[in-house]
């Protein structure tokens, strides 16, 4: 953990067996992580700083069930679950939780954050304003970024994700003027686009799923949803159809799919008309569903 994040001293919960996990990813110098376990206290002491010095900023979302008390730069705050704060690796810090520890964190260098938020040191250990839409978007985008599979790595994708994370961070911390305008144009649009794609991935099997359903769930207009998806090169209808066809192909070529009729696979993939499914499948893959069976 020290090799990929920073040096800290960890105290476990004495009444429980010790367990911990850390998931981590780096996007062009902006890293995101998910960390937790049967831990009650995390300290970034002067000794730990000497062991692994850096002056990076850490924007942490407290995801545990209890209260997290954070003490740094002479300031202390008590955070309930799902609240976030900005800290720094360059100064001693003490984090204590009354329940199992769980967090997601974005880490970025001082050199990259200062041009976006000039007064960033004034914001240390202050709970982020939950009324800012960017705070919720940033939390979700960090979660998505931690779990994103990248094999092989795509340099352009990493750069795009890094820019989006920085834009959302700037907005979450209250950036103003030109910085806020540019970040809003890039960061919020990218975050909302990813949310829309995630909704499609989760609900494609519902034959009644529509752009109106997404718009209602995300509190957006159907036209705005369509515009965001159009920027990705695929309309809502095209993306939904492709997701359903890919799921059908996966089922047809899997051991699980051997036990199902083609009509059943079509239905579980979101197609309500078998003839339409057969037509679109052959046009997409160049063979019939029957020919594609494993």
């Amino acid at each position: 953990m020290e090799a990929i994040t920073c040096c800290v001293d960890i105290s476990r919960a004495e009444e429980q067996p010790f367990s911990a996990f850390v998931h981590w990813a780096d996007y062009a110098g902006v890293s995101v992580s998910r960390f937790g376990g049967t831990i009650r206290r995390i300290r970034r002491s002067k000794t730990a700083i000497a062991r692994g010095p850096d002056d990076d900023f850490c924007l942490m979302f407290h995801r545990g069930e209890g209260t997290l008390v954070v003490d740094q730069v002479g300031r202390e705050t008590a955070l309930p679950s799902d609240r976030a704060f900005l800290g720094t690796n360059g100064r001693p810090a003490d984090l204590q939780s009354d329940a199992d520890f769980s967090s997601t964190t974005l880490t970025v260098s001082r050199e990259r954050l200062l041009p976006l938020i000039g007064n960033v040191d004034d914001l240390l250990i202050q709970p982020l304003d939950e009324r800012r839409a960017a705070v919720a978007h940033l939390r979700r985008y960090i979660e998505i970024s931690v779990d994103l599979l990248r094999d092989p790595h795509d340099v352009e994708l990493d750069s795009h994700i890094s820019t989006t994370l920085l834009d959302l961070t700037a907005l979450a911390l209250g950036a103003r003027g030109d910085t806020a305008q540019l970040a809003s144009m890039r960061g919020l649009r990218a975050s909302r686009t990813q949310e829309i794609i995630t909704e499609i991935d989760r609900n494609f099997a519902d034959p009644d799923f529509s752009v109106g359903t997404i718009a209602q769930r995300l509190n957006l207009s159907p036209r705005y949803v369509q515009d965001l998806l159009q920027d990705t090169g695929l309309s809502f209808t095209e993306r939904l159809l492709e997701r359903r066809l890919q799921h059908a192909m996966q089922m047809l070529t899997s051991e699980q799919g051997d036990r199902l009729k083609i009509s059943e696979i079509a239905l579980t993939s979101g197609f309500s008309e078998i003839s339409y499914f057969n037509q679109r499948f052959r046009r997409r893959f160049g063979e019939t569903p029957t020919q594609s069976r494993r």
Side-chain angles (χ1 to χ4, degrees):
M1 178 180 170
E2 289 190 357
I4 62 175
T5 56
C6 69
C7 301
V8 293
D9 302 312
I10 294 175
S11 300
R12 67 180 180 89
E14 295 292 342
E15 70 279 7
Q16 298 172 261
F18 176 73
S19 67
F21 63 87
V22 58
H23 305 152
W24 177 88
D26 181 83
Y27 296 95
V30 179
S31 65
V32 289
S33 61
R34 184 186 298 114
F35 174 67
T38 55
I39 294 164
R40 291 293 181 268
R41 188 177 188 185
I42 299 176
R43 295 179 64 238
R44 173 86 167 148
S45 63
K46 291 182 178 179
T47 302
I49 293 175
R51 196 166 70 233
D54 74 61
D55 199 21
D56 293 346
F57 288 103
C58 297
L59 196 156
M60 177 181 289
F61 285 88
H62 169 44
R63 305 307 304 272
E65 295 183 357
T67 299
L68 179 67
V69 178
V70 184
D71 187 349
Q72 190 176 48
V73 296
R75 303 170 189 164
E76 182 178 288
T77 187
L79 297 171
S81 184
D82 280 335
R83 295 298 301 275
F85 72 96
L86 182 71
T88 173
N89 287 339
R91 302 286 295 275
D94 192 349
L95 289 73
Q96 298 187 58
S97 176
D98 57 9
D100 288 354
F101 185 84
S102 180
S103 70
T104 53
T105 303
L106 178 145
T107 303
V108 59
S109 68
R110 174 175 290 272
E111 290 74 18
R112 297 191 69 178
L113 193 57
L114 273 181
L116 303 176
I117 304 289
N119 65 331
V120 65
D121 287 288
D122 296 335
L123 305 177
L124 291 172
I125 319 304
Q126 295 183 16
L128 269 62
D129 188 347
E130 291 182 293
R131 294 170 297 180
R132 294 183 182 132
V135 175
H137 282 285
L138 178 60
R139 182 182 68 242
R140 290 192 290 267
Y141 203 76
I142 291 174
E143 293 281 0
I144 292 169
S145 302
V146 172
D147 294 330
L148 183 64
L149 297 177
R150 296 177 297 155
D151 187 18
H153 280 244
D154 184 320
V155 175
E156 291 187 3
L157 175 62
D158 284 7
S159 177
H160 170 76
I161 293 174
S162 173
T163 299
T164 302
L165 287 167
L166 284 174
D167 285 340
L168 290 173
T169 298
L171 292 171
L173 293 175
R176 299 179 179 178
D178 293 341
T179 297
Q181 184 176 5
L182 180 59
S184 181
M185 290 172 57
R186 294 187 310 202
L188 287 180
R189 284 182 69 88
S191 177
R192 284 172 175 147
T193 300
Q194 186 58 57
E195 288 178 337
I196 292 167
I197 293 173
T198 299
E199 284 292 321
I200 293 174
D201 287 342
R202 288 174 178 167
N203 300 281
F204 68 88
D206 179 1
D208 296 324
F209 188 63
S210 68
V211 67
T213 306
I214 290 183
Q216 185 175 18
R217 288 179 181 175
L218 299 182
N219 197 27
L220 303 172
S221 71
R223 176 63 182 272
Y224 187 52
V225 171
Q226 293 279 24
D227 288 346
L228 289 176
L229 287 177
Q230 203 65 51
D231 288 345
T232 70
L234 290 177
S235 67
F236 171 81
T237 301
E238 292 168 334
R239 185 174 290 277
L240 180 62
L241 176 61
E242 178 66 16
R243 185 66 182 86
R244 287 172 171 171
L245 289 172
Q246 290 293 344
H247 181 265
M249 175 61 85
Q250 181 183 3
M251 293 292 291
L252 287 165
T253 56
S254 69
E255 183 177 351
Q256 178 187 1
D258 285 345
R259 301 189 296 270
L260 298 174
K261 297 178 181 179
I262 288 178
S263 59
E264 292 174 323
I265 291 176
L267 291 173
T268 60
S269 300
F271 292 94
S272 55
E273 296 181 10
I274 305 305
S275 59
Y276 176 72
F277 165 66
N278 288 329
Q279 175 191 9
R280 301 304 306 197
F281 189 95
R282 184 165 189 170
R283 182 178 299 180
R284 173 64 177 84
F285 298 111
E287 57 186 11
T288 67
T290 301
Q291 292 170 330
S292 297
R293 276 202 182 275
R294 62 193 295 271

